[in-house]
Amino acid sequence: MEFFIICISAVVASFLTLFSGFGLGTLLMPVFAIFFPVNVAIALTAIVHLFNNLFKLALLGKYANRTIVFRFGLPAIGATFLGAWTLLYLSELRHLVTYQIAGHSFQITPVKLIVSILMVFFALLELIPRFEMISFEKKYLPLGGVMSGFFGGLSGHQGALRSAFLIKAGLSKEGFIGTGVVIACIVDITRISIYSSQLLFIGISDNSILLLAAVISAFIGAFIGNRLVKKITMRVIQIIVSVMLFGIALGLGTGLI
């Protein structure tokens, strides 16, 4: 059952990225978190996210601005290492609270609590119109790399911050997308190299077929969405997706998931 749900969710999540404004990782990680420990869910999502970005890289990577990739991507590498190691550290901490409901035991752990808070924060960042207008001057690109890299390594949330810092970088539409994809790949490869020391061995060794199916499903969702419409934002879908994200974040933060 979990195989079917994750594959369908990967298709839907990839498809919805074309409508809701949310990134693939933002939508897919909560689904993995329902079936796996949250740290493993982040690592597995990173792999799907990387392959999806490599596909985009083959199409749009040639438009990337090398100067901006260097100014943004280099600081992002170090920050991504820090964020990924922080995730591993939090994963080793003992639970904060244990409680029972109807004879079932639930635990609130530091990693679940922090990731749930970040899920809510970045969902709001994408949802509230005022936040969509936030942008930063070109001189702040290294700072953007640090922030995007750290949160990318910690929870996988990197797209919203990356866009906010690149939007005023003077890039064409193709250059904006291509540069963002290159940077996303840099962050994904960096964090996966850290996750591999602990999390990916657990996730891949036991779920290699599931992971492959999720990657293929994400490609299918992107292909279907791209054939149907151009990339737009539909407010109703955005709100529905946000409510779902808030619900899963609440479940993680309270230890129910």
Side-chain angles (χ1 to χ4, degrees):
M1 178 59 72
E2 72 179 34
F3 188 95
F4 175 78
I5 293 176
I6 288 178
C7 288
I8 293 298
S9 298
V11 172
V12 174
S14 183
F15 179 80
L16 285 178
T17 59
L18 301 174
F19 297 91
S20 66
F22 292 101
L24 175 62
T26 302
L27 298 181
L28 188 57
M29 188 277 287
V31 179
F32 273 116
I34 295 174
F35 301 99
F36 302 99
V38 65
N39 50 349
V40 175
I42 292 173
L44 293 176
T45 303
I47 297 178
V48 179
H49 194 260
L50 173 61
F51 277 101
N52 196 53
N53 278 324
L54 289 175
F55 177 71
K56 295 178 183 177
L57 183 65
L59 298 176
L60 299 165
K62 61 184 178 181
Y63 298 109
N65 184 299
R66 296 182 181 180
T67 301
I68 293 178
V69 167
F70 179 81
R71 292 185 61 191
F72 195 101
L74 194 60
I77 292 175
T80 302
F81 272 109
L82 180 59
W85 279 115
T86 301
L87 175 65
L88 296 182
Y89 171 75
L90 292 173
S91 301
E92 298 295 325
L93 297 180
R94 300 186 56 171
H95 57 270
L96 300 173
V97 178
T98 299
Y99 64 96
Q100 290 190 341
I101 297 178
H104 296 280
S105 181
F106 301 96
Q107 295 181 342
I108 300 177
T109 63
V111 67
K112 285 185 177 182
L113 183 60
I114 290 176
V115 170
S116 67
I117 292 173
L118 291 176
M119 284 178 59
V120 170
F121 173 76
F122 282 101
L124 289 173
L125 201 64
E126 301 272 12
L127 180 63
I128 298 177
R130 181 175 296 180
F131 287 148
E132 292 182 356
M133 297 184 290
I134 296 177
S135 59
F136 300 89
E137 298 296 332
K138 196 173 180 178
K139 63 182 179 180
Y140 295 114
L141 284 174
L143 174 62
V146 170
M147 295 178 63
S148 179
F150 177 78
F151 288 109
L154 177 58
S155 64
H157 295 93
Q158 52 174 305
L161 289 173
R162 185 176 62 248
S163 296
F165 281 91
L166 292 183
I167 197 69
K168 284 191 175 181
L171 298 168
S172 64
K173 179 180 179 181
E174 293 80 8
F176 177 82
I177 298 174
T179 302
V181 168
V182 172
I183 293 171
C185 288
I186 291 173
V187 172
D188 284 340
I189 291 172
T190 302
R191 64 186 178 129
I192 287 173
S193 70
I194 301 300
Y195 298 158
S196 63
S197 63
Q198 294 183 30
L199 303 180
L200 289 186
F201 178 77
I202 299 173
I204 293 178
S205 62
D206 297 334
N207 304 283
S208 56
I209 297 178
L210 174 61
L211 186 59
L212 177 61
V215 171
I216 295 174
S217 298
F219 286 158
I220 293 173
F223 177 78
I224 294 173
N226 190 54
R227 290 294 296 272
L228 291 179
V229 293
K230 295 180 180 180
K231 185 172 182 178
I232 57 176
T233 297
M234 295 179 61
R235 192 63 176 171
V236 174
I237 293 180
Q238 196 174 37
I239 293 174
I240 293 174
V241 171
S242 297
V243 171
M244 294 170 61
L245 289 175
F246 293 155
I248 295 178
L250 179 63
L252 283 175
T254 57
L256 295 175
I257 297 177

